[in-house]
Amino acid sequence: MSRSLIVLPDDTAKPILDAINNAAKSLRIKMFVFSDPSLLQAVIAAHQRGVKVRIMLNPARRSGEAENEDSRKLLTAAGVEVIDSNPAFDLTHEKSMIVDDEMAFVKSLNWQTKNLTETRDYAVVTAHSHEVREISDCFEADWNRQSFEPGEHSHLIWCVGNGRQRMGQFIDEAKHSLWLQNERYQDPVIIERLVRANRRGVKVHLMARPPHKLKKEKLIEGVGGLRILDDVGIKVHKLKGLKLHAKLLFADGVRAIIGSINFAPGSFDSRRELAIEVRDEHIAERIHEVVHQDWENSHPLDLTDEGLMAELEAQDDNVVEDLALEGKKAKGKS
């Protein structure tokens, strides 16, 4: 099969480690966070046996936190080529790997231990030559600080580039069902498309992280987006047991988008992101099983004023005012 699916944590890190361990010529890795010890050692071992390894790491989060510094020192000390990701973008959130110019991984997961063991995440592995070549061309452009234009006929979904348009089109083409797993629902265009899908009769199942997991400065748009979707009758759930880190759209039981893109303006407009659309029957069947199991292992988010106050008062002292809630604080004011 020319494409395959990895589901985490179910499938463990083994498929990724196997690919690294079996690399014969080259590895090109672009990663937002890279800290898992087993993956670090596998990459170093590949370099030591003569594989040409090049790695781009995002230098810091928006907060300024530099999570990759220790890994970079370890890799560099072992002789691996490591550079910062392309400074043309606010940050590089893409998570990809190209093996021997023959196989590419498009992932939602970072190479952190928690993303291999504790979070719902996905990766698509493709051996389609045109898809591998496109990911490779972007890697080379970012490595050399050059522009990359995927073009109108791109097989992949890129940010900055065609991300919002392709995601919107995917939602618009849904006929019967639409399942979504994403951390954030903040982009007005995507929210509008989901509302329209619901109005034309598409059954939308939406899974999100609970509001208290949002950064304080993103509470207004994050909670506002979820409440709009809830208000029009879209079911909004949170996963139990596992943390949700996936970025998945699954339409009509037959096609899916998997990658690094959150539904937030910054993801579409200022970050390097990558996703892939797939229609492979065996992948669709596996996703169908996983999203239904996850839905059964979830429960609705309480997006009422009372529910949001109970969840967020410890995080935001001004939650009533910030979210315009009908709470005791607001009612008590003259």
Side-chain angles (χ1 to χ4, degrees):
M1 293 179 288
S2 55
R3 292 196 193 96
S4 60
L5 178 71
I6 301 171
V7 180
L8 290 161
D10 307 43
D11 298 341
T12 75
K14 186 177 185 302
I16 302 171
L17 288 167
D18 286 349
I20 296 170
N21 293 335
N22 291 326
K25 296 181 294 184
S26 63
L27 288 170
R28 281 176 281 189
I29 298 162
K30 199 186 297 184
M31 196 57 56
F32 182 58
V33 180
F34 184 3
S35 60
D36 179 71
S38 64
L39 290 169
L40 284 165
Q41 291 306 315
V43 167
I44 291 171
H47 165 73
Q48 291 173 340
R49 68 173 183 270
V51 175
K52 182 176 176 58
V53 180
R54 286 185 291 162
I55 301 175
M56 270 184 281
L57 296 177
N58 186 69
R61 290 181 180 266
R62 289 174 303 170
S63 63
E65 184 180 1
E67 293 179 300
N68 290 317
E69 193 58 35
D70 290 344
S71 297
R72 180 170 182 159
K73 289 177 181 177
L74 179 67
L75 291 163
T76 301
V80 178
E81 280 189 272
V82 185
I83 66 170
D84 287 344
S85 50
N86 192 340
F89 304 96
D90 285 352
L91 55 81
T92 289
H93 196 238
E94 176 185 344
K95 306 106 167 31
S96 65
M97 176 172 68
I98 308 158
V99 183
D100 292 339
D101 291 319
E102 296 175 355
M103 176 173 60
F105 287 62
V106 179
K107 306 184 287 292
S108 66
L109 64 139
N110 293 302
W111 280 6
Q112 292 176 284
T113 303
K114 69 177 182 180
N115 288 134
L116 302 168
T117 59
E118 299 175 12
T119 64
R120 171 62 74 223
D121 268 301
Y122 302 93
V124 171
V125 187
T126 178
H128 279 269
S129 59
H130 53 278
E131 293 171 350
V132 176
R133 189 180 312 114
E134 195 170 314
I135 298 168
S136 174
D137 287 347
C138 181
F139 184 96
E140 294 300 327
D142 283 350
W143 185 273
N144 293 299
R145 305 326 195 209
Q146 297 170 348
S147 63
F148 169 72
E149 298 294 337
E152 294 182 5
H153 303 292
S154 169
H155 290 270
L156 299 162
I157 301 169
W158 295 99
C159 300
V160 175
N162 61 6
R164 185 182 282 112
Q165 186 271 336
R166 287 282 299 275
M167 294 271 189
Q169 181 181 356
F170 183 94
I171 296 168
D172 289 346
E173 291 175 353
K175 295 178 173 62
H176 310 294
S177 65
L178 190 59
W179 299 75
L180 301 102
Q181 294 184 343
N182 205 292
E183 291 182 274
R184 293 190 277 152
Y185 297 81
Q186 298 167 356
D187 187 76
V189 173
I190 298 301
I191 292 169
E192 173 199 17
R193 291 302 198 278
L194 292 173
V195 170
R196 289 184 179 187
N198 178 72
R199 290 180 62 184
R200 68 175 182 270
V202 177
K203 192 171 183 179
V204 181
H205 293 76
L206 186 152
M207 194 167 286
R209 298 188 78 179
H212 74 269
K213 295 294 185 180
L214 295 169
K215 290 182 172 63
K216 185 176 179 180
E217 64 271 18
K218 296 297 181 181
L219 271 178
I220 294 174
E221 60 191 57
V223 171
L226 291 175
R227 294 189 96 186
I228 289 170
L229 296 167
D230 182 62
D231 285 346
V232 301
I234 291 174
K235 295 179 179 179
V236 181
H237 279 214
K238 62 180 178 180
L239 188 60
K240 293 189 295 185
L242 291 175
K243 297 175 183 177
L244 183 67
H245 187 257
K247 297 92 173 61
L248 167 77
L249 299 92
F250 183 51
D252 301 325
V254 296
R255 58 195 181 97
I257 289 177
I258 288 170
S260 66
I261 305 171
N262 287 309
F263 298 137
S267 296
F268 293 119
D269 298 330
S270 61
R271 298 183 177 190
R272 170 65 80 212
E273 306 268 13
L274 171 62
I276 185 170
E277 181 175 345
V278 294
R279 297 169 183 256
D280 308 67
E281 185 175 350
H282 65 285
I283 292 179
E285 289 176 354
R286 178 89 189 276
I287 293 173
H288 180 274
E289 293 175 3
V290 173
V291 296
H292 280 79
Q293 289 170 2
D294 283 353
W295 194 258
E296 291 176 5
N297 188 38
S298 70
H299 54 83
L301 277 173
D302 186 351
L303 296 169
T304 64
D305 286 8
E306 294 79 8
L308 288 169
M309 281 190 291
E311 181 173 349
L312 296 172
E313 274 189 315
Q315 181 180 357
D316 181 2
D317 293 338
N318 297 312
V319 64
V320 172
E321 291 81 3
D322 289 345
L323 298 180
L325 304 178
E326 289 293 327
K328 293 180 180 178
K329 291 181 182 178
K331 291 179 179 177
K333 289 185 176 181
S334 57

